[in-house]
Amino acid sequence: MNMRTKDGNIDYKKLLIQSGLYLVLFLMLVLIVIKEPSFLSIRNFKNILTQSSVRLIIALGVAGLIVTTGTDLSVGRQVGFSAVISATLLQAATTAHKVYPNMQDFPLFGAIAIVMVVGMVIGALNGLAVAKLNLHPFIVTMGSMTIVYGVNSLYYDYAGGSPIAGFASKYTKFAQGYIDIGGFTISYLIFYAMIATIIMWVLWNKTKFGKNVFAVGGNIEAAKVSGVNVHWTLIKLYALSGIFYAFGGFLEAGRIGSATNNLGNMYEMDAIAACVIGGVSFYGGVGKISGVVTGVILLTVINYGLTYIGVNPYWQYIIKGLIIIVAVAFDSIKYAKKK
């Protein structure tokens, strides 16, 4: 957006529309630092990056759907389902009340493959319903959210109905491990998030699939005329999203050290909010991977900061809800007239 008027002066109205949300978040950060100056520390910076990592992987999954004017309310429940599956497969052989006592040592990457396939299938079914049945993504994913939670709860009950823990050391190390460089530690999670970001950046910017996604989001009728297979593009996009949610769930269970059927609840709120904060428009056809990364980090900084200064968790929900409304409001002002 051009920030200057015809006579060359700065258009403060446009500047406010373009940057107003970032200004609000920056002011919140300033207030947090004023309240607790120790917030600005290397330790907190590392914690924020680590906490951002799984959230970023999940947000990268939902970002493409928003580009196509869609959404996904089943994000959190898919994350939880993947977490529970991973937890039951990767318990240590010596764990008491092991879900599968006769299973000695399940391969780590075998578990990753299984949850990714499950996520891909769930996502593909969502995409199929959106593309072939012409149903609104909100309704489709609301239904799948409920179904996945029901299936996950049944499986969780079968697993004993109590938190699943006692993971094999290889799983714990994979999710909680870190690299030590001269006393400075970097979590493995940060590297996984970087790899996921690079993969999605390449898909969005260097492949025909990425161009098709933005074409569908920009103008679906024009995309059809241009020869884009809209149905197949949407199905692949939702399947890809399911894979990212699944890997996020796998990491989240390992990071926390246990899993229940309620893990992942409301994760979709943070993922969608981060995307919109990062400039991925609900009006479709607009978004950058760098924006998604920025949105996730900003939202994590605010979440972490509010917790750091002792803000009541219920107030945090209110604040995050307001951030979402403000983000969508600015998005509407910026892009509504273009549609």
Side-chain angles (χ1 to χ4, degrees):
M1 181 181 288
N2 188 357
M3 296 298 177
R4 294 188 178 274
T5 58
K6 293 180 180 180
D7 56 6
N9 296 322
I10 296 175
D11 190 328
Y12 290 100
K13 182 179 179 181
K14 288 183 178 179
L15 181 62
L16 179 62
I17 292 172
Q18 189 71 18
S19 308
L21 179 61
Y22 293 105
L23 178 61
V24 171
L25 294 175
F26 177 73
L27 290 175
M28 289 180 65
L29 178 59
V30 170
L31 291 174
I32 289 170
V33 173
I34 292 174
K35 173 72 174 176
E36 189 56 73
S38 63
F39 179 70
L40 294 178
S41 67
I42 295 296
R43 178 184 177 185
N44 284 338
F45 178 70
K46 289 194 297 182
N47 288 340
I48 287 168
L49 286 182
T50 301
Q51 287 190 17
S52 297
S53 298
V54 175
R55 296 181 182 189
L56 176 57
I57 292 169
I58 296 168
L60 288 170
V62 79
L65 307 184
I66 298 175
V67 167
T68 61
T69 70
T71 189
D72 196 341
L73 300 182
S74 68
V75 172
R77 296 309 184 185
Q78 290 195 54
V79 168
F81 192 23
S82 297
V84 170
I85 293 173
S86 303
T88 57
L89 293 178
L90 293 172
Q91 287 180 295
T94 56
T95 299
H97 308 296
K98 195 167 182 283
V99 176
Y100 298 113
N102 296 324
M103 186 166 61
Q104 293 300 310
D105 185 30
F106 199 87
L108 181 70
F109 289 98
I112 294 175
I114 287 174
V115 296
M116 281 187 167
V117 169
V118 171
M120 181 179 68
V121 170
I122 295 172
L125 290 174
N126 283 341
L128 189 65
V130 170
K132 292 291 187 179
L133 301 181
N134 201 28
L135 298 177
H136 197 285
F138 183 93
I139 299 299
V140 171
T141 58
M142 181 171 63
S144 66
M145 171 185 71
T146 309
I147 293 169
V148 171
Y149 179 62
V151 173
N152 189 23
S153 296
L154 288 172
Y155 182 61
Y156 183 67
D157 281 348
Y158 167 79
S162 58
I164 305 165
F167 299 151
S169 59
K170 60 184 178 184
Y171 185 23
T172 302
K173 184 178 180 180
F174 188 86
Q176 298 180 12
Y178 55 86
I179 294 176
D180 191 329
I181 304 175
F184 185 83
T185 58
I186 304 175
S187 171
Y188 287 166
L189 293 176
I190 295 175
F191 292 102
Y192 305 147
M194 290 173 61
I195 293 169
T197 301
I198 292 169
I199 290 172
M200 194 60 84
W201 186 90
V202 171
L203 288 174
W204 275 29
N205 296 283
K206 299 297 181 180
T207 68
K208 182 179 179 182
F209 169 71
K211 293 178 181 178
N212 289 346
V213 167
F214 279 88
V216 171
N219 189 320
I220 192 169
E221 295 303 324
K224 290 178 181 178
V225 173
S226 300
V228 175
N229 188 330
V230 174
H231 291 173
W232 185 230
T233 298
L234 288 173
I235 292 170
K236 288 193 294 184
L237 181 61
Y238 276 85
L240 178 65
S241 297
I243 291 172
F244 272 70
Y245 307 152
F247 187 56
F250 174 88
L251 293 176
E252 191 71 343
R255 182 184 73 85
I256 295 171
S258 66
T260 71
N261 62 329
N262 280 318
L263 192 154
N265 185 34
M266 299 297 287
Y267 277 33
E268 61 274 4
M269 184 173 75
D270 280 353
I272 294 171
C275 290
V276 180
I277 289 171
V280 183
S281 175
F282 271 117
Y283 287 90
V286 176
K288 294 181 178 180
I289 295 299
S290 58
V292 178
V293 175
T294 301
V296 170
I297 292 176
L298 280 175
L299 195 60
T300 305
V301 167
I302 298 302
N303 286 340
Y304 189 89
L306 292 174
T307 301
Y308 192 81
I309 62 175
V311 174
N312 187 303
Y314 300 135
W315 275 108
Q316 292 185 38
Y317 278 113
I318 294 171
I319 292 169
K320 284 196 290 186
L322 289 172
I323 289 173
I324 292 172
I325 293 172
V326 172
V328 174
F330 277 111
D331 176 62
S332 177
I333 294 170
K334 283 189 288 186
Y335 299 114
K337 292 181 180 180
K338 296 182 180 181
K339 304 299 283 186

